[in-house]
């Protein structure tokens, strides 16, 4: 991946210019990162080790936990380093690598959440055919497909960005390397990059989101027509509540950032939104699934005892 640029490194300006806040933010973000790794790590371990959790739902949950650990690890360690040390430099190759893995894991998670919604749709609306439809081979293929699509989507951005010319400022007004901040520093025509960002990446966020909503629409309508009972509907939807909360926490900030034009929000707002889906959401996922899922809580108790 050759680049035609005079810039050999970038400076990540971080989440704030107020230096007095850096030690406080370092402690906060380090605590969040450790909770994220520990919480998602525990879920991943019990999903692998507990035979009672060897089902499609928990197979995808294990994938989600793995994604959340990796997703935060792409951005948070570098952000913590920049909060602790005055040197905020990141090499050109390091910046492109960070961008690649950020979009690889982020787009994979967006599609995985849609797959998890489809799994709940089959489980609730077609219970007699659930084991036939969501067999091990099908689940593995679906998970592998979303990981593969996510990788090539990120590779597209990595190649396109690395071939741009950067001849001016190397100051990135963000706490990690992303497409939008880098395009602001590029010289020359970036219309194709902008189109790819808003069309391809935007659709990659919007389509799984609407497929997720469609799955829940069919779940609700199917239960209403079959049972006509609010109590049964409530009981069935309670099993989906954890997933729906995770979907809302992940998709809404991502859609605001990548589906809307750059002028729709300021750089400060985009940094705050980025903190939501890179820092806050991954640490909330294990808490949501642990607190609301009886099977996971039972598995944790068995593991402890």
């Amino acid at each position: 991946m050759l680049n035609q640029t005079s810039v050999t490194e970038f400076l990540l300006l971080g989440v704030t210019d107020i230096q007095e806040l850096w030690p406080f933010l370092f402690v906060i973000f380090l605590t969040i990162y450790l909770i994220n790794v520990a919480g998602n790590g525990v879920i991943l371990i019990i999903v692998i080790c507990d035979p009672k959790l060897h089902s499609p739902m928990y197979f995808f949950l294990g994938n989600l936990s793995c994604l959340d650990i990796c997703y935060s690890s792409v951005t948070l360690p570098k952000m913590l380093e920049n909060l602790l040390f005055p040197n905020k430099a990141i090499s050109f190759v390091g910046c492109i690598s960070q961008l690649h893995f950020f979009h690889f894991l982020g787009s994979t998670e967006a599609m995985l959440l849609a797959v998890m919604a489809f799994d709940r749709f089959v489980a609730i609306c077609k219970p007699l055919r659930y084991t036939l439809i969501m067999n091990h081979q099908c689940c593995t293929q679906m998970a592998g497909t979303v990981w593969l699509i996510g990788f090539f989507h990120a590779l597209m951005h990595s190649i396109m960005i690395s071939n741009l010319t950067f001849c001016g400022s190397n100051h990135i007004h963000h706490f990690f390397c992303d497409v939008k901040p880098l395009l602001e520093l590029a010289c020359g025509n970036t219309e194709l990059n902008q189109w790819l960002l808003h069309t391809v990446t935007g659709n990659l966020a919007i389509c799984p989101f609407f497929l997720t909503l469609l799955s829940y629409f069919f779940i609700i309508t199917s239960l209403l027509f079959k049972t006509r009972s609010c109590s049964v509907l409530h009981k069935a939807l309670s099993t989906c509540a954890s997933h729906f909360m995770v979907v809302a926490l992940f998709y809404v900030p991502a859609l605001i950032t990548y589906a809307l034009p750059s002028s729709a929000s300021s750089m400060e707002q985009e940094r705050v939104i980025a903190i939501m889906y890179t820092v806050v959401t991954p640490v909330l996922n294990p808490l949501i699934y642990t607190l609301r899922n009886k099977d996971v809580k039972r598995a944790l108790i068995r593991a402890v005892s």
Side-chain angles (χ1 to χ4, degrees), residues 145-187:
T145 300
V146 299
W147 281 85
L148 199 63
I149 293 173
F151 176 82
F152 283 108
H153 164 253
L155 189 63
M156 172 195 72
H157 283 304
S158 303
I159 293 173
M160 293 300 297
I161 292 292
S162 65
N163 283 291
L164 290 175
T165 302
F166 296 92
C167 54
S169 172
N170 67 340
H171 290 65
I172 298 176
H173 294 273
H174 217 310
F175 59 90
F176 66 94
C177 291
D178 199 3
V179 177
K180 276 188 176 182
L182 283 171
L183 290 181
E184 292 173 1
L185 304 180
C187 305

Side-chain angles (χ1 to χ4, degrees), residues 47-69:
V47 165
I48 294 171
C49 297
D50 196 317
K52 293 185 178 181
L53 298 183
H54 290 176
S55 65
M57 176 181 175
Y58 297 108
F59 170 74
F60 294 127
L61 177 58
N63 275 263
L64 181 65
S65 294
C66 179
L67 276 170
D68 281 335
I69 293 172

Side-chain angles (χ1 to χ4, degrees), residues 35-47:
I35 294 172
N36 169 30
V37 173
N40 283 297
V42 167
I43 288 180
L44 185 59
I45 290 169
I46 64 171
V47 165

